[in-house]
Amino acid sequence: MLFNSFEFLFLFLPITLFSYFFIVRKYSLEYGLAVLVFASLFFYGFWNPAYLPLILFSIVFNYYIGKRLSKVVNNKSRHQRSKRLLSFGICINLGLLGYFKYANFFVENINLMLTTQWNITNIVLPLAISFFTFQQIAYLVDTWKGETKEYSFLHYCLFVCFFPQLIAGPIVHHKQMLPQFLQPENLKPQAANIAIGITIFAIGLFKKTVIADNLSLYVSPVFDSSNLTEKIDFFTAWGGALAYTLQLYFDFSGYSEMAIGCARLFGVKLPINFFSPYKSISIVEFWRRWHITLSRFLRDYLYIAFGGNRHGKIRRYTNLFITMVLGGLWHGAGWTFIVWGCLHGFYLIVNHAWSHLQKTLNLSIQKYKAYHLFSWLLTLLAVVVGWVYFRAPTIEQANIILFAMIGGYGANLPSGIHARLGEFTHWLTAINVGTSQGGGKQLVLNAVWVIGAAIIALKAPNVVEVFSTKEKISCDTTIPFQIGHKCWYQWDYNNRWIAQTAMMLIFGILTFTQTSEFLYFQF
Amino acid sequence: MNAKQYLSKVLWLGGCLASMVILFNWLVDPYLLFGTPRISGLNYYKADINNYVRVTKAYQPSKMSWDTLIVGNSRVEMGLDPTHQCFQGRQVYNLAVPGASIKMQLHYALNLIYQKDIKEIYLGVDFTDFLIGQVEYDNQQKEDRLYTVQRMKYTKNGDRNTIYQWQYLIDNYQSLFTLNALFSSFKTVIQQIPTASDRTNNGFNPARDYLTVINTEGAVALFSQKLPQLDVRLSRPTYLFDKAGNRSNKFDELAAFLQITKQRKIKINIFTNPFHNNYWNLINKYNHTTNYQQWQQMLLDVLEVSKHPFLAFWDFANDRRFGNEQPTMVKTKGEALQWFWEPSHYRKSLGDIMLNVMNQPNCNIASEQFGAQLMVSS
């Protein structure tokens, strides 16, 4: 079931919300939580009930391992045993993920390398497997470290499958979420929670359905065309690449905000996932602002587990690179994702090396605005190049698009635009901008949507900033950013926010007959 | 203000906004679904209708009374004007659907035949609409019933389409309360200029949007845009017979249609659409000439077998006297060709001559010679 659908917004969500609080009030919290678990499994199974046994197995298995771990973890004599148990748990989780997500990719590449003809049945990727697997691995590790424990199967089920964050995150820690259900003030519906939840949901809905879905119209013709070289030119390639850059951000941050909004209706504060990432002036900063819960997972459970920065610079850079490659592979079984991971690993190494050089040489160029502007442009360019690999179906296709972006296939403007430029056309001809067929409506609309979305991504406040004075929307209190406190955009119980919320909700609902899935569902 | 007041105001304002969107879309009626009066400067020209003509023509003609239908594809939609002088005293609707297969064109016509007292039909046929592609060539399905379009009230056999009401609701909802409809309404209001896209209330496409291109880029731009598209289309492998030797099932669709019109004593004028000579050059380039002749003969066979007592067949395609104009012969900008917009779409000026010819001797208008009536022995 999609957040941006009639059945979710007008049936599932109100019925679940009402049932939960009714049962909690009438019977007990445990029964209420059972209702939420049942609703969440229904929400998950709505796509394809065949996925349910796998998630149920994963929950039961990890609950059992977690329970065993929490029993032996405090006993020093059993340390080795707990380590084996943890390794076993992680192996089974990764094994399942590997089978469902990477088996086809693995066999295809073995066949290519060895020119063999091995064949396995085309395995369908179960929805959200990457998210619930990583969340549970984090739980096992946290349990092994003694940082969390769970003795109630029902509570554990809810931690894994709470419907707002089940499909595509935010990835949460066990200790972050469960205690919130048990807080006395969350046992009955709070008007403030509902008001804040609906507002955040409306912002996310608008970002996804109005901005991201309209940008998607200009992405597919560039990235999904089978015979690209014949028609792709400089402007088309940039139009597609920038549209995708913004589409992905608005799609995924929109989803995350809808999830945060939904959870808030139940009194649960989920961690934020995005903090205006395209405002970043370095790749390091970008990864602190983009998909924050995944970045944190990669840092805590991969980078630090590999040794982090504890064994010198070379090891640090190697760990960084490996972490990013695995992060790329986490997104999908394909060489394009690996290239994307490699690129970001490389970017991060260069970024860290440059920071080190600045310190060593005592360069104080950070005070110059031009340096900030250059850093921002360079960061954005690096990110856009990465997204081309991330989105393209093959590396070859990505290379073609990038080659077009540097003008390799020429630059053409449609004749309709040329005809309206008057004397300016001579100047265009002088710089080798040719003419192509067509009125140019698509190109103009592409530019309008990209510019409009870019202004919002770069200039508009994010939800954390919007709610920073009135209400902390996140339970993650370690956001390392300067949060603006300008009063004009601060959320409050006022008429401006009533109008904005109502408008965003209605605009979102207006798109419900053209529903589209979220991009991150495929990961 | 507290949270409860905030929530109730959001809901109240949301309801008001939703109502305003519905009212605005109904008032502008960008797809001609609700019959809202056309108001000059507000919604007179339906500037965003081009992509929604199939929806419009599924419902709009049902709401009025017609006795004559013009059926075909976009060529017919732009060429034959229902207000032509020869149609005086008759209620004519141009039901031609752009980009529709012959199956769909005929189903749209049947849908109205079952609802209205239709006396006469003008059916424009195109060689390319009867060809089958590679997939059908390899495995052509013999269909015993016409393809049913969901939004048609009746199926081929005149039975009520059971999902029609549901589809009608969906289409009305989408025309009143979607972002696309809202964008279309805004576009309609903003583009109230004589060169905006439009459809008249009787289904005709005046093709005034072509004038925008002609004014800014010249007729040559329309030709150079269209010719490569036609080139790609005609270069694809297409067939009149499948691998097993059966003729294209599109002839069967036409045959079935003729039987229904025969039973209902509907007079039918079938005609081939004229092409610009550049189009003919492409037909020759891809060696479709023999196929074309064969198609025409097969068409004649179907018409003869139908033994339809009120049937006339006109061939305008083979008369090439109006197809010689070249876009380079007119001014660079601002002037259209006299007879053709571009290689595949003829103008109303040529359509008027075709209607004059087809309506002789009943229509008392002097006309240039064009085309020929081929005899069908019925």
Side-chain angles (χ1 to χ4, degrees):
Chain A
M1 201 181 299
L2 292 167
F3 288 161
N4 52 330
S5 65
F6 289 111
E7 56 270 24
F8 177 81
L9 195 60
F10 296 115
L11 289 173
F12 178 83
L13 188 60
I15 290 172
T16 307
L17 195 64
F18 175 78
S19 311
Y20 170 70
F21 284 117
F22 178 77
I23 300 285
V24 169
R25 191 172 170 184
K26 190 92 178 163
Y27 300 99
S28 71
L29 175 64
E30 291 303 300
Y31 283 117
L33 296 181
V35 166
L36 265 189
V37 169
F38 176 78
S40 298
L41 290 173
F42 174 81
F43 174 83
Y44 183 76
F46 193 79
W47 270 283
N48 186 351
Y51 296 145
L52 274 172
L54 180 73
I55 193 172
L56 286 172
F57 167 78
S58 178
I59 290 170
V60 170
F61 172 79
N62 284 296
Y63 171 70
Y64 174 75
I65 297 288
K67 204 171 170 186
R68 294 284 300 271
L69 272 173
S70 52
K71 276 182 187 164
V72 295
V73 80
N74 292 326
N75 188 336
K76 279 187 181 165
S77 64
R78 293 178 181 174
H79 184 68
Q80 277 306 317
R81 200 177 143 204
S82 73
K83 220 170 182 178
R84 279 203 301 274
L85 201 58
L86 175 68
S87 305
F88 173 68
I90 292 174
C91 283
I92 294 294
N93 276 297
L94 292 181
L96 276 179
L97 186 63
Y99 173 74
F100 283 103
K101 195 159 180 174
Y102 303 105
N104 285 323
F105 177 65
F106 183 72
V107 170
E108 272 172 28
N109 282 286
I110 290 283
N111 282 341
L112 264 177
M113 278 195 297
L114 306 176
T115 58
T116 50
Q117 298 286 321
W118 291 351
N119 195 12
I120 54 171
T121 326
N122 211 21
I123 301 160
V124 178
L125 181 68
L127 195 65
I129 188 170
S130 308
F131 284 93
F132 68 68
T133 302
F134 270 34
Q135 189 156 311
Q136 292 185 100
I137 288 175
Y139 164 74
L140 293 184
V141 175
D142 289 350
T143 309
W144 180 74
K145 286 179 182 169
E147 290 176 3
T148 193
K149 56 186 171 187
E150 182 57 75
Y151 295 114
S152 161
F153 179 67
L154 187 66
H155 292 192
Y156 184 76
C157 279
L158 189 60
F159 154 65
V160 178
C161 67
F162 182 44
F163 71 88
Q165 48 80 230
L166 167 63
I167 308 296
I171 301 170
V172 289
H173 284 282
H174 178 262
K175 63 184 176 212
Q176 276 180 317
M177 204 177 80
L178 253 295
Q180 296 189 60
F181 281 106
L182 311 177
Q183 285 168 9
E185 67 268 25
N186 287 340
L187 298 181
K188 54 183 181 180
Q190 302 280 345
N193 280 338
I194 295 174
I196 292 168
I198 284 181
T199 306
I200 298 172
F201 184 87
I203 294 171
L205 183 67
F206 185 84
K207 283 167 88 172
K208 156 69 184 161
T209 58
V210 179
I211 304 177
D213 285 355
N214 276 295
L215 283 164
S216 74
L217 304 174
Y218 312 101
V219 174
S220 200
V222 172
F223 284 92
D224 297 333
S225 173
S226 54
N227 194 5
L228 215 50
T229 47
E230 279 187 10
K231 47 192 161 186
I232 197 158
D233 74 306
F234 179 81
F235 296 111
T236 316
W238 271 102
L242 290 175
Y244 182 65
T245 300
L246 290 158
Q247 184 206 355
L248 188 63
Y249 166 63
F250 281 104
D251 191 284
F252 194 22
S253 67
Y255 171 84
S256 297
E257 278 147 27
M258 280 190 259
I260 290 168
C262 281
R264 190 57 189 263
L265 301 177
F266 296 88
V268 174
K269 293 180 178 180
L270 291 180
I272 59 148
N273 233 359
F274 291 87
F275 194 93
S276 307
Y278 293 143
K279 291 176 184 170
S280 309
I281 56 167
S282 73
I283 285 291
V284 171
E285 189 186 347
F286 174 79
W287 278 106
R288 285 188 190 135
R289 290 168 176 260
W290 178 272
H291 204 172
I292 295 167
T293 56
L294 177 72
S295 305
R296 195 179 53 191
F297 180 93
L298 294 174
R299 183 196 66 201
D300 293 348
Y301 301 98
L302 287 178
Y303 176 68
I304 293 174
F306 291 147
N309 57 3
R310 298 192 298 271
H311 305 286
K313 284 211 162 40
I314 302 292
R315 266 296 292 277
R316 181 194 186 186
Y317 291 158
T318 310
N319 292 338
L320 208 51
F321 191 79
I322 294 170
T323 302
M324 293 316 289
V325 173
L326 290 175
L329 204 54
W330 177 85
H331 282 89
W335 285 104
T336 49
F337 293 108
I338 294 173
V339 171
W340 176 77
C342 290
L343 270 177
H344 275 276
F346 171 72
Y347 295 158
L348 284 172
I349 291 169
V350 171
N351 196 161
H352 281 292
W354 170 243
S355 301
H356 178 70
L357 195 71
Q358 272 182 298
K359 271 184 199 159
T360 313
L361 300 177
N362 204 13
L363 293 175
S364 54
I365 50 175
Q366 297 226 357
K367 60 187 174 196
Y368 299 111
K369 275 195 173 173
Y371 174 76
H372 280 258
L373 183 66
F374 174 75
S375 305
W376 171 74
L377 272 173
L378 189 65
T379 305
L380 195 63
L381 179 69
V383 169
V384 172
V385 169
W387 290 142
V388 171
Y389 283 101
F390 193 81
R391 174 61 175 81
T394 61
I395 292 176
E396 292 75 27
Q397 193 121 340
N399 291 338
I400 288 172
I401 294 168
L402 287 172
F403 191 60
M405 284 165 72
I406 56 169
Y409 299 113
N412 293 311
L413 281 177
S415 57
I417 294 179
H418 254 284
R420 287 170 174 84
L421 289 176
E423 290 301 307
F424 196 59
T425 49
H426 300 305
W427 185 78
L428 287 175
T429 314
I431 58 163
N432 282 334
V433 175
T435 311
S436 59
Q437 299 299 336
K441 185 181 159 194
Q442 279 299 100
L443 193 64
V444 171
L445 285 175
N446 187 341
V448 167
W449 275 103
V450 164
I451 291 168
I455 289 171
I456 296 171
L458 297 170
K459 288 290 168 196
N462 57 52
V463 278
V464 182
E465 290 171 325
V466 164
F467 287 87
S468 61
T469 51
K470 188 78 180 174
E471 181 78 27
K472 264 191 160 36
I473 66 136
S474 165
C475 54
D476 181 356
T477 53
T478 58
I479 304 161
F481 309 110
Q482 190 81 40
I483 296 175
H485 292 286
K486 288 178 192 161
C487 56
W488 67 267
Y489 58 66
Q490 287 296 326
W491 178 83
D492 205 344
Y493 298 120
N494 60 31
N495 289 335
R496 193 159 51 79
W497 270 101
I498 287 168
Q500 283 172 193
T501 306
M503 202 176 286
M504 286 187 289
L505 266 180
I506 293 302
F507 268 70
I509 292 168
L510 282 173
T511 66
F512 277 11
T513 52
Q514 309 139 27
T515 46
S516 63
E517 278 204 359
F518 293 89
L519 293 178
Y520 256 67
F521 281 17
Q522 59 191 292
F523 307 132
Chain B
M1 192 188 301
N2 60 29
K4 280 184 184 164
Q5 288 168 323
Y6 177 90
L7 278 171
S8 65
K9 283 185 178 177
V10 165
L11 286 178
W12 182 84
L13 189 61
C16 286
L17 279 173
S19 309
M20 281 163 64
V21 169
I22 291 169
L23 189 68
F24 181 61
N25 285 335
W26 177 84
L27 188 69
V28 177
D29 192 12
Y31 313 139
L32 280 169
L33 278 198
F34 310 113
T36 318
R38 291 185 191 237
I39 302 165
S40 182
L42 176 75
N43 67 348
Y44 192 84
Y45 302 110
K46 305 297 178 184
D48 204 33
I49 201 170
N50 278 352
N51 293 329
Y52 301 90
V53 174
R54 289 179 188 190
V55 183
T56 305
K57 293 197 173 177
Y59 305 117
Q60 188 209 22
S62 307
K63 293 172 181 163
M64 285 169 272
S65 142
W66 312 104
D67 55 32
T68 304
L69 296 179
I70 298 169
V71 180
N73 54 27
S74 60
R75 292 170 232 261
V76 176
E77 196 197 30
M78 287 185 195
L80 298 194
D81 183 359
T83 60
H84 185 270
Q85 281 176 296
C86 296
F87 290 143
Q88 225 165 25
R90 289 154 70 176
Q91 290 153 314
V92 185
Y93 187 83
N94 188 325
L95 192 59
V97 186
S101 64
I102 185 89
K103 288 179 185 181
M104 192 184 280
Q105 295 165 25
L106 297 178
H107 195 189
Y108 269 73
L110 284 172
N111 184 49
L112 268 195
I113 287 170
Y114 293 128
Q115 294 179 61
K116 311 282 173 191
D117 184 18
I118 303 296
K119 304 255 188 306
E120 188 168 8
I121 289 173
Y122 291 79
L123 172 61
V125 288
D126 269 329
F127 162 61
T128 47
D129 284 349
F130 283 78
L131 297 171
I132 54 173
Q134 191 64 47
V135 175
E136 284 178 294
Y137 174 78
D138 292 333
N139 183 21
Q140 187 176 218
Q141 302 290 320
K142 264 301 189 213
E143 293 181 43
D144 59 349
R145 53 190 229 103
L146 278 177
Y147 163 65
T148 299
V149 183
Q150 284 186 338
R151 47 177 65 101
M152 297 290 99
K153 198 169 187 177
Y154 290 92
T155 65
K156 164 212 170 183
N157 302 322
D159 299 332
R160 289 296 283 254
N161 178 8
T162 48
I163 53 170
Y164 166 78
Q165 285 298 343
W166 179 239
Q167 188 62 43
Y168 179 73
L169 274 177
I170 291 173
D171 284 331
N172 273 279
Y173 173 85
Q174 293 195 331
S175 307
L176 285 172
F177 197 60
T178 58
L179 200 58
N180 279 353
L182 189 61
F183 282 162
S184 294
S185 292
F186 276 119
K187 189 176 170 184
T188 304
V189 172
I190 291 165
Q191 290 196 2
Q192 285 301 305
I193 47 172
T195 52
S197 304
D198 197 15
R199 292 298 180 281
T200 63
N201 285 343
N202 42 25
F204 179 59
N205 178 5
R208 286 190 287 257
D209 40 348
Y210 272 21
L211 288 173
T212 311
V213 183
I214 288 168
N215 289 337
T216 52
E217 300 173 65
V220 72
L222 286 174
F223 271 72
S224 48
Q225 269 176 41
K226 193 74 185 181
L227 275 171
Q229 293 168 11
L230 293 171
D231 195 290
V232 169
R233 188 177 171 194
L234 288 169
S235 66
R236 289 189 198 121
T238 43
Y239 310 90
L240 276 172
F241 295 90
D242 66 14
K243 203 162 60 177
N246 301 309
R247 72 178 181 188
S248 157
N249 58 22
K250 283 142 192 189
F251 290 101
D252 302 332
E253 303 288 339
L254 178 62
F257 178 78
L258 291 174
Q259 286 310 312
I260 294 166
T261 52
K262 182 177 154 187
Q263 283 161 18
R264 294 184 161 245
K265 298 185 172 57
I266 297 170
K267 186 182 175 196
I268 185 154
N269 302 290
I270 299 186
F271 60 94
T272 57
N273 287 303
F275 293 126
H276 190 272
N277 282 354
N278 289 8
Y279 197 118
W280 278 113
N281 292 342
L282 286 176
I283 287 181
N284 293 335
K285 178 181 168 187
Y286 291 105
N287 300 319
H288 284 305
T289 321
T290 319
N291 266 352
Y292 185 88
Q293 287 159 354
Q294 198 172 8
W295 166 74
Q296 195 163 346
Q297 188 53 54
M298 288 164 75
L299 191 62
L300 273 167
D301 291 345
V302 169
L303 304 186
E304 281 188 14
V305 168
S306 76
K307 300 206 183 300
H308 196 305
F310 317 109
L311 186 148
F313 178 47
W314 300 86
D315 180 22
F316 296 111
N318 275 308
D319 188 340
R320 304 188 189 180
R321 78 186 77 174
F322 294 103
N324 284 323
E325 280 180 302
Q326 286 301 320
T328 46
M329 291 158 66
V330 294
K331 279 189 218 163
T332 320
K333 289 176 187 174
E335 196 180 333
L337 300 191
Q338 188 178 0
W339 308 113
F340 279 85
W341 291 111
E342 28 83 352
S344 61
H345 291 100
Y346 52 93
R347 297 188 61 180
K348 173 182 171 322
S349 49
L350 191 55
D352 284 348
I353 296 175
M354 290 158 63
L355 286 173
N356 289 340
V357 169
M358 285 191 280
N359 282 289
Q360 295 299 339
N362 301 333
C363 177
N364 214 4
I365 295 173
S367 172
E368 292 187 61
Q369 285 293 312
F370 185 40
Q373 183 173 11
L374 303 186
M375 297 312 293
V376 180
S377 51
S378 52

